[in-house]
């Protein structure tokens, strides 16, 4: 905590020495129309950590107090870090999806986001189908809590979901927009294609299934600091933890390369040497 300090006007909620985190959203402004509506996650004047604000590849950073998240004592810092991004992104999306306990929920993509989505979906009481590529992760996926694993490289995921009655929610965590679009027909009437992974290519959506079955395509952003704290609390309560590999900050390049290779199971976390 060398040189740590709180800025002038910071609420008494935050103090030097407290263990906090910052998610993807760097803190809302309290002044824009979205903030005035209480939709803080949609604030148009907040920075994105790692893009328009420093964070991630550093030992220290300056952060807005409106972006701070308190870390529970029961969570290690290495475990909490992925939950402040991938964790809240998937947990919040499932909460907003409209799915009820017992509904069929499919998770597409079993990586940094998907492996947490599977755990949350199971703990929320959904019937969980995980959709990935390759038989090598089948045991991992079932161990995370999926009721069924569908290897899309070997079988038709849409046909398989239809056999089960259709999915109330398909959460896609991949950046392959074509693969995400292909699962729209797997939705039950009034089902939702929940987009969490952000691809560069546009989604291809046929209007027929949307109109005839009153289906939805919905995007969700991570969430507010309050929602992030609820994510952490639920994770402790339900024992949902990220599967991580750690490397020291000095090996950040190596960690990034391993993440890009797809070999990491399932998140790379950079660690710091205390007291430096």
């Amino acid at each position: 905590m060398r040189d740590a300090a709180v800025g002038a006007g910071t609420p008494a909620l935050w103090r030097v020495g407290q263990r906090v985190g910052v998610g993807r959203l760097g803190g809302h402004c309290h002044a824009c129309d979205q903030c005035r509506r209480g939709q803080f996650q949609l604030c148009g004047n907040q920075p994105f950590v790692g893009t328009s604000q420093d964070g991630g590849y550093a030992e220290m950073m300056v952060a807005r107090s409106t972006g701070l998240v308190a870390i529970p004592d029961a969570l290690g810092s290495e475990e909490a870090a992925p939950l402040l991004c991938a964790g809240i992104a998937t947990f919040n999306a499932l909460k907003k999806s409209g799915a009820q306990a017992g509904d069929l929920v499919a998770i597409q993509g079993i990586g940094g986001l998907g492996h947490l989505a599977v755990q949350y979906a199971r703990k929320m009481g959904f019937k969980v189908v995980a959709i990935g590529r390759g038989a090598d992760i089948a045991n991992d996926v079932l161990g995370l809590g999926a009721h069924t694993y569908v290897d899309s490289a070997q079988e038709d995921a849409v046909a398989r979901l239809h056999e089960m009655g259709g999915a109330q929610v398909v959460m896609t965590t991949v950046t392959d927009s074509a693969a995400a679009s292909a699962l729209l027909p797997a939705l039950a009437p009034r089902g939702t294609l929940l987009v969490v992974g952000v691809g560069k290519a546009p989604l291809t959506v046929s209007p027929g299934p949307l109109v005839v079955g009153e289906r939805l395509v919905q995007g969700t952003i991570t969430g507010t600091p309050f929602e992030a704290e609820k994510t952490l609390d639920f994770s402790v309560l339900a024992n949902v933890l990220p599967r991580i590999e750690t490397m020291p900050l000095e090996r950040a390049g190596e960690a990034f390369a391993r993440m890009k290779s797809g070999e990491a199971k399932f998140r790379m976390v950079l660690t710091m040497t205390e007291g430096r």
Side-chain angles (χ1 to χ4, degrees):
M1 299 299 296
R2 178 171 56 90
D3 299 327
V6 294
T10 299
L13 175 67
W14 309 112
R15 62 187 185 278
V16 174
Q18 185 177 3
R19 199 161 57 106
V20 299
V22 182
R24 173 66 168 151
L25 306 180
H28 46 277
C29 70
H30 278 311
C32 69
D33 287 346
Q34 286 72 33
C35 283
R36 294 175 67 193
R37 294 188 181 104
Q39 299 169 342
F40 301 118
Q41 77 278 14
L42 300 180
C43 172
N45 299 319
Q46 67 182 327
F48 287 85
V49 174
T51 303
S52 57
Q53 172 184 304
D54 289 342
Y57 293 92
E59 293 176 282
M60 302 188 72
M61 65 178 290
V62 177
R64 285 183 177 181
S65 62
T66 54
L68 297 182
V69 178
I71 308 299
D73 292 339
L75 274 177
S77 297
E78 292 83 0
E79 298 165 328
L83 297 179
L84 292 178
C85 187
I88 183 176
T90 52
F91 178 73
N92 237 15
L94 289 168
K95 281 179 59 184
K96 296 176 180 178
S97 70
Q100 303 293 318
D103 284 346
L104 177 60
V105 172
I107 309 298
Q108 182 188 38
I110 311 302
L113 287 160
H115 90 285
L116 286 166
V118 167
Q119 294 182 74
Y120 287 130
R122 178 62 182 255
K123 297 294 186 178
M124 290 178 178
F126 304 136
K127 183 178 180 181
V128 185
V129 178
I131 302 172
R133 293 183 63 85
D136 58 314
I137 61 171
N139 289 335
D140 287 326
V141 172
L142 296 175
L144 290 167
H147 294 92
T148 304
Y149 174 62
V150 176
D151 179 359
S152 60
Q154 299 295 326
E155 56 184 317
D156 185 335
V158 172
R160 187 73 182 279
L161 289 172
H162 271 301
E163 290 173 3
M164 301 179 190
Q168 188 61 41
V169 171
V170 172
M171 175 189 285
T172 175
T173 69
V174 301
T175 57
D176 184 341
S177 296
S181 301
L183 288 182
L184 182 64
L187 292 173
R190 292 203 165 184
T192 300
L193 179 66
L194 197 58
V195 182
V196 179
V198 182
K200 293 183 179 180
L203 294 169
T204 304
V205 177
S206 174
L210 295 183
V211 173
V212 173
E214 294 189 349
R215 297 171 176 88
L216 300 174
V217 178
Q218 178 182 349
T220 66
I221 199 166
T222 55
T224 67
F226 178 80
E227 290 171 323
E229 290 180 356
K230 290 299 182 184
T231 300
L232 299 184
D233 290 343
F234 183 86
S235 299
V236 171
L237 181 67
N239 194 33
V240 174
L241 296 175
R243 303 285 178 87
I244 62 173
E245 298 179 23
T246 61
M247 286 190 184
L249 179 62
E250 292 82 357
R251 296 171 62 190
E254 183 181 344
F256 184 80
R258 181 162 176 78
M259 180 271 296
K260 290 290 287 184
S261 73
E263 295 178 356
K265 288 189 176 180
F266 287 94
R267 275 291 191 188
M268 299 301 302
V269 176
L270 300 177
T271 58
M272 308 293 170
T273 301
E274 294 187 9
R276 180 177 294 179

